[in-house]
Amino acid sequence: MLSPTRDPAFGQRLGATLLLLALLAPTFALTGFNPFVLLRQDTWHVWLGFVAGFLPPAHDADFLAEVLRETVTTLASATQGLALAAAIGLPAALATSRALDAARLTAEPPSRWAETAKRSLRGLLVALRGVPEIVWALLFVRAVGLGSLPAVLAIGVAYGGMLGKVYAEILESQPAEPARALAASGAGRLARFAWATLPQALPELVSYSVYRWECAIRASAVMGFVGAGGIGQLIDTSLKMLNGGEVSTLLLVFLLLVALTEAISRLCRRALDSRAGIAGIAVATLAAVLGSWVWLRQGWPSDAFDLAALDHFAGEFFPPAHDAALLTSAGRGILETLAMSLLGSVLAFVGGALLAVPAAGRFGVMLKGLSRLLLNLLRGVPDLMWAALAVLAVGLGPAAGVLALTLHTAGVLGRLFAETLENAAPEPERALRAAGAGRFSAFAYGQLPQVLAQWIAYTLYRWENNIRIATVLGIVGAGGIGTQLYLALSLFQQQTAATLIIAMLLLSWAVETLSRVLRRRMES
Amino acid sequence: MNKLTATLASAALLLSAGTTFAQDVLRVSAIPDEAPTELARKFAPLGAYLEKETGLKVQFVPVTDYAGVVTALTSDKLDMAWLGGFTYVQAKERGKVIPLVQREEDTKFTSKFIANTASGVNSLKDLKGKSFAFGSASSTSGHLMPRFFLQKEGIKPETFFKNVAYSGAHDATVAWVASGKVDGGALNSSVWDKLVEGHKVDLTKVKVIGTTPPFYDYNWTVRGNLDPALVKKITAAFLKLDAKNPEQKNILELQRATRFVPTKPDNYRGIESAAREAGLLK
C-alpha cells in the first residue's frame, strides 16, 4: 500500500522531465548556456562589482536633467510613433476589413480587382509587422540618421502593420446588421464605416490603441540601443561604460515611466464607459500628439523627409546576397536563434511556475507580495535591456540571450500562471487534502491538471514571441542572427543585411504556422 | 509655359540655396568613438573657435552610431564630421566628401593591444582561446587595423579567440578588459594614453601587450557640395591653431593634437586596401 502523501505518478513525471531535458540537450550545446557559470565565483565577482556600483543611484543635477529630457523624448517618440501607426493602420483596416465588404453585406459579387488590391495590402501589413521594430529602427537610423526620428518611424511602421490587422479584426467582430442596413440603402464603404461599424467598434479600438501605446513606450525606451535617441541611448552608454550608478537611476526612471503609462491606460479604459470620457480621451490624445510633435520637431533636421535618399537607400538592399558562405552562416544564426528561444522559453516555464505558486497566495501574504514584486520587475524590464545586462553576467554570446529571455519571460508567464491558479476551482484539491493527500500530491492532482494545458498554451504563445525577440538580441551582443545583421549594417553590407532580414521573416513565419497548428491540435 | 519654366527654375534655385548658399549653421558631428559626454566636452571650445572664424553658428549633433555619421554626411544632413580612416573610406565609397585636415598625430597613428592582468596573458599568442573585444565594428583603430595586423600575424580572430565582441567605443573596451568581462582587447593609442594620463585606468588590472605599426587615421571631412569658400575658411582655421596661443592650446589639448596638417584622399589608400583584405569592404 502506497503512503497517501507520495505521488503515485512520480516515476512518469520524472521520466517526462528527463525526456524533455534530453530533447533540450542540443540547445544547451548550441547556445553554450551553462547554468553553472552563473554560480561560478568569477562571474559573481564581475556581477557583484557592477551591482555594487548601482548604489547609490547617480543623482547629480546635470545627469538628472539629461535623464528627464531623454525620458520626455522617449515618451514623445512613442506617442508620435503610435499616431503614425494609427494613421497607417486605420485607413488600412478601412480598406481591408471584411466587415465593410459589400459582398458580405449585400448580394453584390466581389470585384476581382478590389480583392487583389486588398490581398496585396494585407501582405504589405504582414511584412511591416514581421520585421521587429528594433530592426526598423536600425534601418531608419541608417536611412534618415540622427535623433528621435528613426524611433518614431520604426514604431509607426511596425505598429502600423499590427494596428492595420487588429483594427480590421475588431471591425469584423462587430454585429453586421447596421452596416448591412446602410449597404442596402446604397451607402458606400466609407459611409458604412463612419456611421455603422465605427460607432460600434470605437471603445474596443481605443482600448487596443492605448494598450499598444504602452507597448510603444517600452519599445521606444530600447530604441536608443541602436542609436535612435531617448532613454535607451543613455542606458546603452552607461552600460557600456559599466557605470552602475547611472544604470540604476535610469532603470528606476524607466520603471516609473512604465508604471505611469499603465496608470494612464487604466484611466483611459475607465473613461471609455461615458461619452464625456471618450471626448476627454480625444482631447488628451490630440494634446499629446501635438505636444510630442513640438518637442521632437526641434531635434529633427529640416530636410528629414528626403524621399530621394530613402529610395536610394532602399535600392541598396537589392538584390539580396546569396553566396554559400553567407547562407551557411545565416543558417547557423537561425539555429542559434531557435535554440536560444526554445531553451529560454522552457526555463521561463519552470521559473514562471515556481514563482506563480507563491504569487497566487499559496504561501501567505508576505511571499505573495514579494513574488509579485519580483514578477513585475522581471516583466517590466524589456528583453533587450535584460540582454544588455545579461551580457555582463555571462559574457557575450547566445548564453546571455538565453538568460535574458528566461528572466523576462518568467515574469510574463509567472503572472499569467498565478492568475490561472487563482481562477482554478479549489474543490478538487480540498477534497484530496480531506482524503489525506499530502500538500504536494493534492496540488499535483487537484490543481495542476486544471491549469497545465493553459500554461503550456501560454508558453507556446510566448515561445513564438521569443523567437522574434531572439532574432534581435544580437544587437546588444547576446547572440543569434541579430549579431550578423548588426555587423552587416555597420559595414554598409546592405545586400547581406537583406538576406538576413528575409531569413528572420521566414523564421517567424514558420514558427507562427507551427504554433498555430500545435495550438489547434491541443484545442481539439 | 515660360512662366512655368521660370517658376520651376526659381524653385530649384531656392532648394539648392537651402543646401549650398544660405548657410547660416554649420552642422558638425563626430564618430562616437568615445562616450557622448566626452565627445561634447572635447568639442565645445573648438566649436566656439570655428564659430568665430567662420561667422556661422556651429551646431554639434551627437550621434551614437558610426554608420549613422557616414550616412548623415553623405546625404547632406551634416556639413562636417570627424571621421576615422575607415569611416572616411566608407563615406568616400558612398558619396562625395572632401578630407580637409588631420592631427599631426594621425599621420602615424597606432593601436594598442591590451589584456587583463589576471588572465595570465603576456602576448598576442597567449590570447588563443580567450575572449577578445574590438571597439566599434566601424572603427579604424579599434577594429579594422588591429584585425588587419592580427591577420598579418596569422591570427584569424573568429577562430583564434573563444569569443569576439564589439564594445562600441575605445573607453568601453578598456572598461570591459579591466572588469574581466573579456580577457583582451584593442583600442586607439591616443585614447589609451589619455586614460593613463588621467588615471582613468587601473594599471594593476590592465596592461599593454602590443602596439600596431603606424597607419593614417582620423580626419575632419566635409560634404562634397559645401561652399568652397567656406571649406577654405574652415581649413585655414584648423591649420592656424597654434599651441603658443593659450586659448588655442586648450583646443589642441582637448583634441589631443600638437597641430593640424592638411590631408588628402591618397593618405587613406592603405586603409582601403587593409579593409578589403580584412573583408570589411566589398
Side-chain angles (χ1 to χ4, degrees):
Chain A
M1 169 93 197
L2 282 169
S3 121
T5 52
R6 249 201 74 201
D7 176 2
F10 181 73
Q12 280 171 26
R13 283 183 214 273
L14 187 70
T17 312
L18 288 178
L19 184 71
L20 187 67
L21 278 179
L23 284 175
L24 281 179
T27 68
F28 279 100
L30 270 169
T31 58
F33 183 72
N34 176 3
F36 301 107
V37 170
L38 288 175
L39 306 175
R40 260 182 19 207
Q41 202 195 342
D42 51 342
T43 306
W44 276 105
H45 200 70
V46 174
W47 190 226
L48 278 179
F50 183 63
V51 171
F54 269 47
L55 296 171
H59 54 271
D60 62 283
D62 282 352
F63 179 66
L64 288 183
E66 204 181 351
V67 172
L68 185 66
R69 211 166 40 240
E70 293 304 324
T71 308
V72 176
T73 301
T74 299
L75 199 64
S77 305
T79 309
Q80 203 59 236
L82 198 73
L84 177 61
I88 294 173
L90 203 60
L94 174 60
T96 59
S97 179
R98 292 175 185 90
L100 300 167
D101 284 357
R104 189 166 161 266
L105 300 170
T106 64
E108 196 183 310
S111 116
R112 176 139 12 115
W113 181 86
E115 285 311 302
T116 314
K118 271 180 233 170
R119 204 163 309 130
S120 27
L121 188 53
R122 270 183 218 123
L124 180 68
L125 292 180
V126 170
L128 290 187
R129 64 174 180 269
V131 178
E133 59 260 26
I134 192 88
V135 173
W136 278 121
L138 247 178
L139 294 173
F140 281 123
V141 164
R142 262 53 174 196
V144 298
L146 321 191
S148 53
L149 183 60
V152 171
L153 293 176
I155 293 173
V157 169
Y159 283 31
M162 232 176 285
L163 291 183
K165 175 189 172 219
V166 177
Y167 283 172
E169 282 169 0
I170 291 176
L171 296 183
E172 279 154 27
S173 69
Q174 307 302 321
E177 287 76 16
R180 190 165 292 145
L182 280 181
S185 57
R189 191 177 182 96
L190 191 63
R192 294 198 287 272
F193 170 71
W195 300 106
T197 321
L198 183 64
Q200 296 170 299
L202 193 61
E204 221 175 311
L205 289 176
V206 173
S207 158
Y208 183 75
S209 307
V210 169
Y211 161 71
R212 269 291 143 199
W213 178 68
E214 270 181 65
C215 302
I217 284 172
R218 258 178 273 242
S220 164
V222 294
M223 293 287 175
F225 287 175
V226 296
I231 193 170
Q233 200 136 311
L234 296 181
I235 296 180
D236 188 42
T237 310
S238 303
L239 274 175
K240 272 185 187 149
M241 303 313 300
L242 303 176
N243 189 331
E246 287 182 7
V247 174
S248 62
T249 303
L250 288 162
L251 283 179
L252 281 174
V253 169
F254 171 72
L255 290 172
L256 277 177
L257 181 67
V258 169
L260 178 78
T261 53
E262 275 172 10
I264 293 178
S265 113
R266 258 199 308 277
L267 206 69
C268 281
R269 263 181 227 124
R270 210 168 301 149
L272 275 176
D273 295 339
S274 69
R275 235 151 199 264
I278 294 184
I281 292 177
V283 172
T285 307
L286 204 64
V289 171
L290 277 179
S292 55
W293 170 261
V294 171
W295 174 267
L296 294 175
R297 195 66 190 84
Q298 50 183 342
W300 291 353
S302 50
D303 51 354
F305 297 98
D306 182 356
L307 289 175
L310 264 182
D311 193 38
H312 174 75
F313 178 75
E316 290 178 352
F317 286 82
F318 296 94
H322 52 271
D323 52 297
L326 171 64
L327 293 182
T328 320
S329 77
R332 207 171 334 112
I334 290 276
L335 216 58
E336 198 177 281
T337 306
L338 266 175
M340 278 161 61
S341 66
L342 186 60
L343 188 55
S345 304
V346 171
L347 293 177
F349 175 85
V350 177
L354 289 178
L355 282 170
V357 177
R362 297 182 65 93
F363 298 115
V365 183
M366 196 56 177
L367 277 176
K368 178 176 173 169
L370 272 179
S371 50
R372 293 242 151 176
L373 192 70
L374 182 59
L375 285 175
N376 280 339
L377 181 73
L378 291 173
R379 196 171 50 94
V381 176
D383 1 49
L384 262 176
M385 247 180 238
W386 275 126
L389 287 165
V391 162
L392 295 173
V394 292
L396 291 130
V402 172
L403 185 61
L405 288 174
T406 303
L407 292 173
H408 181 75
T409 313
V412 176
L413 290 181
R415 194 174 99 133
L416 292 170
F417 290 0
E419 267 165 30
T420 56
L421 277 180
E422 282 170 339
N423 294 335
E427 290 82 5
E429 190 181 1
R430 260 187 235 146
L432 281 171
R433 290 284 285 161
R439 276 187 79 121
F440 181 75
S441 319
F443 175 75
Y445 283 88
Q447 281 261 348
L448 211 51
Q450 295 186 54
V451 296
L452 199 58
Q454 187 70 48
W455 285 13
I456 293 175
Y458 278 143
T459 310
L460 276 177
Y461 174 70
R462 273 320 290 193
W463 177 41
E464 199 184 312
N465 205 37
N466 280 347
I467 294 199
R468 220 164 292 148
I469 294 162
T471 58
V472 300
L473 293 182
I475 290 170
V476 295
I481 195 168
T483 316
Q484 297 173 41
L485 178 68
Y486 190 61
L487 207 58
L489 283 173
S490 294
L491 298 173
F492 292 102
Q493 295 167 351
Q494 328 286 42
Q495 296 178 347
T496 303
T499 308
L500 294 168
I501 292 175
I502 293 173
M504 281 181 174
L505 277 173
L506 285 178
L507 178 65
S508 71
W509 172 77
V511 170
E512 220 166 276
T513 313
L514 181 72
S515 148
R516 199 170 46 230
V517 170
L518 276 177
R519 258 180 288 152
R520 207 169 288 158
R521 185 152 311 163
M522 280 185 64
E523 276 158 18
S524 60
Chain B
M1 192 62 209
N2 255 342
K3 208 169 171 191
L4 180 67
T5 326
T7 322
L8 280 179
S10 55
L13 203 69
L14 270 175
L15 275 178
S16 62
T19 50
T20 350
F21 302 111
Q23 181 107 35
D24 46 5
V25 176
L26 190 70
R27 299 158 301 172
V28 183
S29 192
I31 49 168
D33 67 333
E34 288 181 86
T37 43
E38 175 64 13
L39 288 181
R41 182 184 79 90
K42 260 170 40 174
F43 184 75
L46 177 62
Y49 170 76
L50 288 175
E51 262 183 10
K52 207 176 69 201
E53 291 294 314
T54 60
L56 297 179
K57 189 177 167 336
V58 173
Q59 181 195 4
F60 186 77
V61 187
V63 182
T64 52
D65 184 73
Y66 277 65
V69 180
V70 173
T71 316
L73 188 68
T74 51
S75 57
D76 299 343
K77 293 192 174 78
L78 287 172
D79 301 308
M80 178 166 85
W82 192 58
L83 298 180
F86 182 36
T87 27
Y88 162 70
V89 170
Q90 288 178 327
K92 175 183 76 79
E93 293 280 297
R94 300 178 59 76
K96 202 170 164 326
V97 293
I98 311 166
L100 300 185
V101 294
Q102 63 186 174
R103 302 173 298 191
E104 195 164 39
E105 286 76 1
D106 291 321
T107 59
K108 41 183 194 314
F109 210 77
T110 56
S111 301
K112 300 273 185 219
F113 291 101
I114 56 171
N116 185 293
T117 44
S119 66
V121 170
N122 291 309
S123 71
L124 287 177
K125 297 284 170 211
D126 293 345
L127 278 168
K128 191 173 172 60
K130 306 267 184 185
S131 55
F132 188 85
F134 290 112
S136 162
S138 318
S139 169
T140 312
S141 50
H143 178 213
L144 170 62
M145 294 320 272
R147 178 184 281 273
F148 177 69
F149 289 118
L150 282 173
Q151 286 184 353
K152 289 221 144 159
E153 300 270 310
I155 293 175
K156 187 168 182 326
E158 272 66 27
T159 50
F160 185 81
F161 301 120
K162 185 181 84 188
N163 216 329
V164 174
Y166 298 91
S167 76
H170 300 290
D171 39 8
T173 304
V174 175
W176 284 18
V177 173
S179 75
K181 188 172 160 182
V182 290
D183 299 309
L187 81 150
N188 139 357
S189 300
S190 173
V191 171
W192 170 259
D193 292 340
K194 178 168 84 175
L195 291 171
V196 171
E197 285 162 22
H199 304 288
K200 297 265 177 58
V201 49
D202 185 347
L203 290 173
T204 63
K205 287 188 175 152
V206 188
K207 64 179 173 195
V208 174
I209 54 166
T211 306
T212 64
F215 50 88
Y216 277 101
D217 204 346
Y218 298 91
N219 63 40
W220 283 99
T221 294
V222 293
R223 62 185 166 90
N225 52 357
L226 196 67
D227 177 14
L230 177 57
V231 172
K232 215 177 251 177
K233 239 190 248 175
I234 296 173
T235 313
F238 271 110
L239 293 180
K240 75 176 185 203
L241 278 171
D242 186 351
K244 287 193 203 96
N245 174 328
E247 205 175 300
Q248 296 181 2
K249 183 164 186 273
N250 179 35
I251 297 175
L252 286 168
E253 268 174 7
L254 281 173
Q255 296 293 315
R256 300 197 63 76
T258 45
R259 66 190 181 102
F260 280 90
V261 297
T263 188
K264 53 180 191 295
D266 274 354
N267 288 351
Y268 295 94
R269 286 267 165 82
I271 298 265
E272 189 172 337
S273 56
R276 290 196 195 280
E277 216 166 297
L280 299 183
L281 196 68
K282 281 182 183 162

